[in-house]
Amino acid sequence: MTVTAPASRETPPRRGRRARPGRSGKILSAVAGIVLASAAVVVQQYVPDAKAMGSPLTYTGEMNQEVSADRFSVRVRSVSAARAIENVILEDDPKRTEARGIFLIVQVSATVPKQPTHLVARLLTAEDTVYEPTDRVAAQLTFRETWIQPGWWNSGVYVFEVPPEVIAGARIVITVPTGALVGEAFPPEAEVDLGLDEAAAADLVAKAEPVRQLGKKGSS
Amino acid sequence: MTSPSGGGSRRKRPVLIPVIAVLLASGLGITALLGGLDQVPDPPPEQLGEGAILDQGQFRTQFVAARYVFTPAANEFAEDQRHLELEFKVTNLGDRTTYVGSPQQPGKETTSSVLFAGSILRTTPPIRTEAGGVGAVLTGDELRSTQLHPGVATPVVVRYELDEATEVPDRIVLDMGTFELMGRFPSKVEDWSLATKRVNGKDVAEVAARVTLPVQQGERS
């Protein structure tokens, strides 16, 4: 009793001191609160949105330059144009298809450091319009269905059907196929400028082959 | 002391409450009489005909023709084929390649269609087939294509395989929807979706145009 009584007498003032800080302390904590809250608001602006989260890590390069995109390396070798394409799946039965604009044929080589993969491509115009490879050339005749293996370079073509006026300034973007349901965060992709200015694009269209054969032999 | 003041306040309340009640009731009544708080009805869909062009947001679409095509059997083991074909010229105004897709099937309408032919919301008379219509690009060769590349005016045909019992109408009316850019949930990424409106608490695709096409008769050997 005699021991506990002074202790209980001492504690209430301490508690009171802690709970009730002086006026300067109040102002300080209010300022600190406001600073912390506004800092939180500022930081919130830098949180990547869904689009940024799903956006790829892009490695850029030029024609005939090895572009290493982490999980694969590509080299874009040449660009040519054709008015029509003959799909040679069975040697005696070529299937011919005429372009509504023009066929742009991009010759690509690729290798991987470790994991074999397929590679998909799309064409990005100067205005960032996206052209998927044409479905009028059988996928099996293109690089889309080639397995890229570690240890050596494989070659093939991607074919795009485009209006001739979008060729100048176009880039090819090569990437790993994404899962149908689950999108990967930051998939690696290689973006290669095809190096075509207005004059080179016009020249390419002017010199377009009337018919290009694409087959297991003649794909190069 | 307490009873007069209580009585005074009691005398005030019965006045105020009935007045508010009457005002509310008459307000509601007048609103109800004027047709409720519903929005002004939408303007009726545009009436279009053969050769007309409709701006569908993502696409600029020309209605070329509707035709019935009879293909006689190639040999005694094959069967005659009857098709109803709808021909369009479609220009993709979006910023990426998209696909033709298939028209909406009667009784299975959906607002989640994101491909061109999904904007053919319904036909009058409805064409009932087993598999529904199938859309493709008219390539003029054996290679089947379904792509609509940006900026390319692409001939598109939507084809219904008719069974023997189906009668071929003299003319067909297409209810066409449009597409608008909308943020997807939950990613908020902008993409084209069918324009919708709420009818009786349900989202239905909005009819932007009714296109009447005479059905031409054709035969293919």
Side-chain angles (χ1 to χ4, degrees), chain A residues 50 97 130-135, chain B residues 95-97 141 145-147 150 187:
Chain A
T97 184
V130 178
Y131 286 83
E132 298 290 338
T134 179
D135 59 358
Chain B
D95 63 356
R96 55 169 52 244
T97 298
D141 51 52
S145 175
T146 59
Q147 289 176 326
S187 65

Side-chain angles (χ1 to χ4, degrees), chain A residues 174-212:
Chain A
I174 297 166
T175 183
V176 288
T178 49
L181 287 175
V182 190
E184 182 182 354
F186 309 121
E189 64 176 32
E191 183 182 309
V192 178
D193 194 320
L194 298 178
L196 297 166
D197 55 16
E198 292 286 344
D203 190 50
L204 193 74
V205 173
K207 287 182 181 158
E209 295 169 61
V211 189
R212 173 72 165 271

